[in-house]
Amino acid sequence: MTIQTFEIKYEGKKEIIEYEDDLTFGELEAILDQCLDLSDVTKPKVNLPQYRQSILLKTVKKAPFEVGSLPSLRNLKTSVVNQVLKGVLKDYPLVKFLEDWVGTFVGNEELNISRQSTTSLQENSDGIKSK
């Protein structure tokens, strides 16, 4: 694990955020277990707010506000949290972890097939033709 840093604007000043860029396997699995419902692996359900909050609470080590506290995090201005999320989530893209989890169940070949896009629109019809 390496500590990464970036700057945000907080209360009119530039401040440094420090965060861990690589959680342990157990820490990340625990977060994913709380945030993902894979009871139907073809239609995973994701609790995005829970994921974002959990990642920030676990990774942010130094900030100009209290770290590791959910009430403190929830009381920050959205503009501040969005800056922090932008800096931290580049190392924790949920789609990468979701693909890894789903790949565990269905295999990589089937996972690639599930990425193909399909259209939900039907072709235009002139109605039923009669002879």
Side-chain angles (χ1 to χ4, degrees), residues 78-129:
T78 301
S79 59
V80 172
V81 175
N82 285 338
Q83 291 177 80
V84 178
L85 282 167
K86 185 177 179 181
V88 171
L89 289 180
K90 66 181 173 44
D91 286 314
Y92 297 96
L94 179 58
V95 70
K96 175 190 178 302
F97 305 123
L98 183 57
E99 286 175 351
D100 290 346
W101 267 38
V102 173
T104 300
F105 289 106
V106 299
N108 289 333
E109 190 172 311
E110 288 183 38
L111 181 61
N112 289 334
I113 291 170
S114 70
R115 287 188 193 168
Q116 294 176 358
S117 87
T118 57
T119 181
S120 61
L121 297 176
Q122 296 178 348
E123 293 182 23
N124 286 341
S125 172
D126 292 334
I128 300 173
K129 295 183 180 183

Side-chain angles (χ1 to χ4, degrees), residues 43-95:
K43 297 177 185 174
K45 295 176 185 168
V46 180
N47 184 334
L48 285 175
Q50 177 71 38
Y51 179 76
R52 291 161 38 114
Q53 290 173 32
S54 296
I55 289 293
L56 290 182
L57 290 173
K58 197 66 171 170
T59 62
V60 175
K61 300 302 176 193
K62 181 182 175 192
F65 48 82
E66 184 179 354
V67 297
S69 165
L70 185 56
S72 294
L73 181 63
R74 287 185 173 172
N75 285 319
L76 289 172
K77 299 285 187 189
T78 301
S79 59
V80 172
V81 175
N82 285 338
Q83 291 177 80
V84 178
L85 282 167
K86 185 177 179 181
V88 171
L89 289 180
K90 66 181 173 44
D91 286 314
Y92 297 96
L94 179 58
V95 70

